[in-house]
Amino acid sequence: MAVPDTVNKRTTLIIATIASFLMPLVGSSVNVALPAIGNDFEMDAVLLSWVATSFLLASAMFLVPFGRLADIYGRKKIFTIGICIYTIAAFLSAIAATSSQLIAFRILHGIGSAMISGTGVAIITSVFPPQERGRALGINVAAVYLGLSLGPFMGGFLVQHFGWSSIFLANVPPGLLIIALVFWKLKGEWAEAKGEPFDYIGSIIHSVTLVSIMYGFTLLPKTSGAGMVFAGFVGLVVFTRWEEKVKYPVLNVALFKINKAFAFSNLAALINYSATFAVTFLISLYLQYIKELTPQQAGAILIAQPIIMTIFSPIAGRLSDRIEPRIVSSVGMSITVVGLSLLIFLDGSTRLE
């Protein structure tokens, strides 16, 4: 659909950029707050991990379906509903009275995040013409890394001085600002697949499969956990077969067969983020429980990784223009392996100076 002349490109970019900054900011802040949350609700390590995992799992479950719904019913509509859910969930998470309530509200938080993530970049590409799109997307990506960078430090500061609930309350004003800007400034709608049917069966298989795999891993090494993980991988096969034969799939799996580079780059990203996110979770607990650092001190240490990512991402991008991208990414993954391997030697006697 053609972009209306009334669309304010600058406002559109501001809306998408604030949203892109907000979500990683919260995600990286919550890791620092986990010990404080665990102390308040007397949660063990497995249950505590679900404070973060529930958000990520809900986001992963609904990202693809909501992306497809946005193409059918309108990207601005899904984005607006998503930011409303996200803001409400942030407030509810801040006032949660039990661990069960907090995890439930984090699931709601993740659903809102999926609706925003699946439409924010798409709206930018719809509003900006090709000759301006690269700059706009670059600003949006920079906001993501900035959120990751500031999250641990800001989270540590807020937890130490105002309590863990302040992390979630801090999301409410930006959320309300985005909602106001959407209704006030963002004109037009974009629905490139309007009128096409939605693949409900594929979406259900996709969601159940992810839940089975994720929940199964939390139950390992129990037999029931291994069974759920196995069932989840069977579900992936079923999902792939279904998407190949349905006329309007929720996810075009043919992309992974046609474009091998796309498939393997996604696999590499999955492995990389799985490892680095797990380490961030464990290091946060290690620094505060074992080394007895304050949340603010732990946040100052955890900020190192996203800052380095922010600095080197543009450099890696320029290198990939001159050198085969596969070589650059392989070197990067090798460095990640070395860094993760060095963390094996951490224990209670390790000095942090």
Side-chain angles (χ1 to χ4, degrees), residues 118-307:
T119 54
V121 173
I123 290 175
I124 289 178
T125 58
S126 298
V127 170
F128 284 84
Q131 64 270 22
E132 300 178 21
R133 199 170 293 160
R135 180 181 61 85
L137 291 175
I139 294 172
N140 192 68
V141 171
V144 174
Y145 283 126
L146 183 61
L148 285 171
S149 300
L150 294 179
F153 180 77
M154 289 184 61
F157 176 82
L158 289 172
V159 171
Q160 184 166 337
H161 296 284
F162 304 102
W164 62 264
S165 61
S166 62
I167 287 178
F168 299 109
L169 287 176
N171 282 263
V172 177
L176 294 175
L177 173 62
I178 294 174
I179 293 170
L181 287 173
V182 168
F183 283 107
W184 181 33
K185 287 288 187 179
L186 190 58
K187 308 299 181 182
E189 184 56 281
W190 306 271
E192 295 178 358
K194 190 173 183 179
E196 293 183 3
F198 180 69
D199 180 17
Y200 288 99
I201 295 177
S203 297
I204 292 171
I205 297 173
H206 169 267
S207 298
V208 172
T209 295
L210 286 178
V211 171
S212 180
I213 293 174
M214 292 294 295
Y215 187 62
F217 272 117
T218 67
L219 297 178
L220 292 176
K222 295 180 181 178
T223 305
S224 58
M228 291 192 71
V229 172
F230 177 76
F233 282 108
V234 172
L236 284 177
V237 175
V238 174
F239 174 72
T240 301
R241 296 289 178 84
W242 173 262
E243 294 300 285
E244 285 177 336
K245 71 177 185 178
V246 70
K247 186 175 181 180
Y248 298 103
V250 69
L251 175 65
N252 186 5
V253 295
L255 290 173
F256 295 93
K257 290 186 175 181
I258 298 171
N259 192 333
K260 297 297 182 183
F262 175 76
F264 283 110
S265 63
N266 276 275
L267 177 61
L270 172 64
I271 295 171
N272 178 56
Y273 286 117
S274 296
T276 53
F277 181 82
V279 166
T280 302
F281 169 76
L282 293 172
I283 291 295
S284 177
L285 300 183
Y286 168 79
L287 292 174
Q288 296 182 66
Y289 281 135
I290 307 300
K291 306 307 291 184
E292 298 181 346
L293 298 185
T294 65
Q296 189 169 345
Q297 290 172 327
I301 293 175
L302 290 173
I303 199 175
Q305 177 183 327
I307 282 180

